[in-house]
Amino acid sequence: MDAFTRFTNQTQGRDRLFRATQYACMLLSYLLEPKAGKEEVVMKLKKLESSVSAGRKSNLNRVIYFICDTMLWVKSVGLVAGISKEAWRRRAARHYYYFLLLSLARDVYEISLQMGRVAHDRAKKEKGSSQSPSGFSVADEETEWLQSFLLLLFRSLKRHPPLLLDTVKNLCDILIPLSQLGIYKSNRGLIGLGGFVSSVTGIITVAYPHMKLRTC
């Protein structure tokens, strides 16, 4: 209970919980919408999703995105007229999309480094062995390469959980601007699921700071 209290006392902790609630509501409303007799529940879930979304602070620490997000808020509360809400929403989505692309590029780079280290360690262990693989044929070369690559990737991410969490988070997050920009249209269920998984990974990194990816 003390750990939960400390977590919710943090601004980032509260935001992650609100974000998880927001996308959980989106996912549940999408799943319940086709079912008869669930109209009232779906309406309540959508209202809760909207309320939580409006109440969340924009703490993405990205100046351009924050400006776009602020303009959307100013428009929504009616403080300034003549602002194209759709145009500013697209600007915010575009800058968020670019940020996530850069983050994923960093993740790929870090993964390649980890795979190199794992491969090097494995080669050192096998250096003393003079055994050569038996039963290998040219026809199996592509399958063998793919299996080796996936195994190396799995071992690399298993060795570095913060990198795994960061990669999963960015992959889930990028679904949102992809859909908003019309690059890849996703339904509300997929976006809700991605947002919820991303929020859970964010909760983990706030609750356990050592699980947050740190780069030089």
Side-chain angles (χ1 to χ4, degrees):
M1 190 64 184
D2 290 339
F4 180 77
T5 302
R6 287 195 301 271
F7 177 82
T8 54
N9 281 338
Q10 301 178 62
T11 302
Q12 282 191 337
R14 291 193 300 271
D15 182 75
R16 295 298 190 276
L17 287 175
F18 288 144
R19 191 174 190 268
T21 303
Q22 175 189 344
Y23 285 105
C25 289
M26 182 185 293
L27 176 60
L28 287 173
S29 64
Y30 174 81
L31 294 174
L32 292 175
E33 203 162 20
K35 299 184 182 297
K38 300 295 183 180
E39 293 82 2
E40 186 176 350
V41 176
V42 170
M43 186 182 302
K44 289 181 179 179
L45 285 170
K46 287 184 176 181
K47 285 183 178 180
L48 179 58
E49 175 198 337
S50 179
S51 299
V52 174
S53 176
R56 284 180 56 219
K57 290 185 177 180
S58 178
N59 64 342
L60 298 174
N61 299 321
R62 310 293 177 264
V63 176
I64 298 178
Y65 183 81
F66 177 76
I67 292 172
C68 296
D69 199 41
T70 301
M71 294 303 294
L72 288 174
W73 177 79
V74 168
K75 170 67 175 178
S76 67
V77 298
L79 293 178
V80 178
I83 293 177
S84 173
K85 190 172 183 179
E86 185 59 32
W88 280 100
R89 181 180 285 114
R90 287 186 66 84
R91 288 191 186 101
R94 186 163 56 249
H95 290 299
Y96 189 35
Y97 173 64
Y98 293 151
F99 162 71
L100 288 172
L101 283 181
L102 291 174
S103 298
L104 283 170
R106 177 202 61 195
D107 290 336
V108 170
Y109 174 71
E110 292 290 335
I111 288 172
S112 67
L113 292 180
Q114 289 296 322
M115 291 176 71
R117 295 187 184 108
V118 172
H120 178 70
D121 293 345
R122 184 179 177 185
K124 285 177 62 176
K125 290 180 180 179
E126 297 176 351
K127 190 174 181 180
S129 174
S130 59
Q131 296 179 348
S132 58
S134 59
F136 178 79
S137 65
V138 176
D140 294 331
E141 183 176 354
E142 185 175 345
T143 302
E144 290 288 334
W145 179 89
L146 179 60
Q147 290 177 346
S148 298
F149 174 82
L150 293 176
L151 181 60
L152 187 59
L153 177 63
F154 171 76
R155 288 175 174 172
S156 302
L157 292 175
K158 183 180 179 181
R159 177 184 287 192
H160 200 332
L163 180 56
L164 173 61
L165 289 176
D166 193 73
T167 304
V168 169
K169 182 180 184 303
N170 289 328
L171 285 173
C172 290
D173 278 339
I174 206 168
L175 291 173
I176 301 170
L178 279 176
S179 184
Q180 291 174 337
L181 295 172
I183 299 173
Y184 178 79
K185 282 292 184 182
S186 302
N187 58 49
R188 285 172 52 84
L190 184 58
I191 294 175
L193 177 61
F196 180 73
V197 172
S198 170
S199 301
V200 170
T201 62
I203 288 172
I204 293 173
T205 57
V206 173
Y208 305 97
H210 66 279
M211 296 296 287
K212 185 176 179 62
L213 179 65
R214 304 189 187 280
T215 55
C216 298

